[in-house]
Amino acid sequence: MKKNIIKYAAYVLTALPLGSIGGGLLSSCSDFLDEQVPQATLTQDEVKNPEYIDNVLVSAYAGLVSIEDMNSSFSLWNYDTRSDDAYVGGSDFSDGEPFHILEKSSGVMTTDWPYNDIWNRFYKYLSRISLSLDMLAVSDQTNTTIQQRTAEMKFLRAYGHFQLKRLFKKIPFVNKLNMEEEDYNNLSNTEYTNDEGWQQIINDLEDAYAVLPEVQAEKGRPTKAACAAFLAKVYLYKAYRQDDASTNQVTSVNEADLQKVVEYTNPAIYGGYGLESDLHNNFRPEEQYENGKESLWAIQYSRNDGTVYGNLNFSYRLIVPCIPKVHDAGCDFYKPSINLVNAYRTTSDGLPFFDNAPAADYAVGSAQTVDPRLFVTVGVPGTPYMFNTNYMMSTTNTWSRSGGTYGYFVSLKQNVDPALTDSYLFVCDNQWASSMNRIVFRYADVLLMRAEALAQQGKTAEAIALVNQVRSRAADMATNSIVSNYPNKYGVHFAIGKYNGNYSKDETMRIVKMERRLELAMESERFFDLVRWGDAATVINRFYSSEGAKMNFLGGSQFTANKNEYLPVPYEQIAASNGHYTQNCGQW
């Protein structure tokens, strides 16, 4: 069991109004309470007491684990399959069909079930936070604990709105106290412009940043540094203005927002944080690795905590591959693309190919040199699955549920070594779940966000220095990491160098964008980065063109600019909105 984490036990509240929303948008937290064994009852007066307030707030934290599921992961991995980093995978095109349609950007319907499902789940999560903030508002506002818990709830509320806005763009904001049913029924998803919507999220985070402590005794509670990283990310999204309501085009890049990114990525804020010596340390379940120095805020999962399965991570269970003689029923989703694997190839200087890349795709045993991060990110045939030599991956159908339709690459960052079964990996209902945390904000992302803002400001030398800081860790992995023996054992060739010389603003931005891809691949950032930059249509259609010749299921794919950047607002929500919701652009 992990120590000093938020415990997800529930209390029953009596005489407590639970917020609800018409049309199925929000529900009360009663569904969560029904799933738990009550430990006590509290009256409405008692719950205002700082001594008891955490018994209300725990339901909000628990929602991060109990409300999402494998089809609607709050990590949004299902939706990153629209990028050039990954394919949906599974057994065939009919397996998770709406997601396969989505990755082709063709035939997407407003009635497809995943969109209403993820919408409902996030708003159920937000309903718990609204309840918590209502209770905090009638508590002693001079009490330090009440102030800090209010800040935590605003941070969590920002997380829900942020993920929804990245997905749907036009969303209703649940950001007022004591909302009644009529208030919910009259919500509009165009109450705020796109720019103002990002500002609503920023307002919550800036309130939280002013109060949150530098250190929290319990892991999983946000700190000041975590909030700064979150603020930097939202300001970076806001900086790329989409001011024309009839399109999703980036119309300008706002200097004031960029400066806020620089402000909130100031190294002075992040004392005690830094890069792990090995990238893989961020994706290990053992206690000595979790909540490490690179992890600014992570969703806390646990084991052996008195519940049937523990508070395990069920949201990644579809990503487990077929593992011969171990887990033949692996669902094998979120498959790394050929395009992503090729992106890790390096020149003789150890730098990525931007142009004139080799025609031959990368394979273990070839003479091509690669960035060591490839083998921490992607399971490549000819190397061991999860670094365990008992499970050597190969281009055989025993390692591909689809028989090779979606290739033979495997995502590693979400998976756990099968040798840890029954300690950190558990078979639950014939599928695996693990206790490994999911890092939401890590320090490498902070460095790259700062580099991006500086590059956009024309401070190219400072930006390149930050990129090189990330690449230095990658270079060290060639001799000091879980994959450092791969050249000797499997015939791979590592080469990774730093950028030297003077680069223009455009060249520096190109470098930063590539470094974000290499460092954060398969962490559900790529598609949203492409949309934020205004690059989605160009990059993804180029991907369809090059990859479609190799992967038949991508034939006929076409990304439509000013439509496919966002999901459609679900039909069920528009139908139940009393005419208050507006559909995204794109003639859905």
Side-chain angles (χ1 to χ4, degrees), residues 261-311:
V261 178
V262 173
E263 175 185 334
Y264 283 114
T265 55
N266 187 323
I269 297 172
Y270 300 93
Y273 292 98
L275 297 176
E276 294 277 2
S277 60
D278 184 350
L279 174 63
H280 178 52
N281 290 353
N282 292 299
F283 308 100
R284 301 190 65 163
E286 301 95 329
E287 285 83 355
Q288 65 266 36
Y289 295 106
E290 295 213 300
N291 301 305
K293 66 178 182 179
E294 196 166 339
S295 175
L296 290 159
W297 186 60
I299 308 302
Q300 305 290 312
Y301 298 96
S302 61
R303 61 197 177 95
N304 303 329
D305 58 5
T307 61
V308 175
Y309 291 135
N311 286 293

Side-chain angles (χ1 to χ4, degrees), residues 350-390:
L351 298 177
F353 284 98
F354 291 100
D355 300 300
N356 302 316
D361 295 328
Y362 179 74
V364 167
S366 76
Q368 295 182 47
T369 57
V370 291
D371 184 323
R373 287 175 290 185
L374 167 62
F375 297 104
V376 169
T377 304
V378 180
V380 182
T383 63
Y385 172 66
M386 294 311 303
F387 321 103
N388 187 327
T389 54
N390 290 320

Side-chain angles (χ1 to χ4, degrees), residues 13-29:
L13 311 180
T14 62
L16 184 64
L18 300 177
S20 62
I21 191 163
L25 179 62
L26 291 182
S27 67
S28 74
C29 66

Side-chain angles (χ1 to χ4, degrees), residues 94-106:
S94 65
D95 190 14
E97 185 173 10
F99 289 107
H100 284 292
I101 291 171
L102 190 64
E103 78 174 326
K104 289 168 62 69
S105 305
S106 303

Side-chain angles (χ1 to χ4, degrees), residues 119-376:
W119 177 290
N120 272 322
R121 288 177 184 276
F122 268 118
Y123 279 107
K124 286 180 180 179
Y125 161 73
L126 286 169
S127 74
R128 298 190 186 185
I129 298 167
S130 292
L131 168 66
S132 300
L133 285 167
D134 287 348
M135 289 298 95
L136 286 161
V138 295
S139 302
D140 181 3
Q141 300 301 296
T142 66
N143 183 273
T144 301
T145 297
I146 297 299
Q147 293 171 358
Q148 288 190 9
R149 297 301 181 256
T150 300
E152 291 173 26
M153 291 301 104
K154 288 187 175 183
F155 180 99
L156 295 186
R157 183 167 69 181
Y159 176 70
H161 283 138
F162 176 71
Q163 295 291 66
L164 282 162
K165 187 156 178 56
R166 291 206 294 179
L167 285 171
F168 294 101
K169 191 176 185 179
K170 292 181 180 178
I171 63 168
F173 282 83
V174 186
N175 56 1
K176 300 175 179 63
L177 292 173
N178 302 312
M179 294 179 68
E180 301 292 340
E181 183 173 354
E182 188 65 19
D183 298 317
Y184 290 120
N185 288 337
N186 288 316
L187 281 174
S188 167
N189 70 337
T190 55
E191 178 181 2
Y192 305 105
T193 66
N194 190 58
D195 182 56
E196 290 169 345
W198 291 122
Q199 188 62 47
Q200 298 310 302
I201 299 170
I202 288 167
N203 291 345
D204 268 349
L205 290 172
E206 289 188 330
D207 286 350
Y209 182 76
V211 175
L212 286 172
E214 294 184 1
V215 177
Q216 292 273 23
E218 294 177 296
K219 301 298 182 182
R221 296 190 188 276
T223 62
K224 190 174 289 291
C227 196
F230 198 173
L231 273 162
K233 178 152 288 193
V234 183
Y235 269 116
L236 198 53
Y237 272 78
K238 183 172 177 282
Y240 293 85
R241 296 294 173 87
Q242 296 178 13
D243 292 331
D244 183 350
S246 65
T247 78
N248 295 325
Q249 297 300 301
V250 175
T251 55
S252 63
V253 182
N254 185 268
E255 172 62 30
D257 290 337
L258 292 174
Q259 190 54 40
K260 282 292 187 179
V261 178
V262 173
E263 175 185 334
Y264 283 114
T265 55
N266 187 323
I269 297 172
Y270 300 93
Y273 292 98
L275 297 176
E276 294 277 2
S277 60
D278 184 350
L279 174 63
H280 178 52
N281 290 353
N282 292 299
F283 308 100
R284 301 190 65 163
E286 301 95 329
E287 285 83 355
Q288 65 266 36
Y289 295 106
E290 295 213 300
N291 301 305
K293 66 178 182 179
E294 196 166 339
S295 175
L296 290 159
W297 186 60
I299 308 302
Q300 305 290 312
Y301 298 96
S302 61
R303 61 197 177 95
N304 303 329
D305 58 5
T307 61
V308 175
Y309 291 135
N311 286 293
L312 298 175
N313 183 352
F314 288 90
S315 71
Y316 284 160
R317 60 196 314 189
L318 290 178
I319 303 175
V320 179
C322 297
I323 307 170
K325 299 181 180 180
V326 175
H327 192 59
D328 296 328
C331 291
D332 206 25
F333 283 84
Y334 202 29
K335 303 284 283 182
S337 69
I338 297 170
N339 188 284
L340 174 64
V341 171
N342 284 339
Y344 285 96
R345 296 176 300 182
T346 55
T347 67
S348 58
D349 294 325
L351 298 177
F353 284 98
F354 291 100
D355 300 300
N356 302 316
D361 295 328
Y362 179 74
V364 167
S366 76
Q368 295 182 47
T369 57
V370 291
D371 184 323
R373 287 175 290 185
L374 167 62
F375 297 104
V376 169

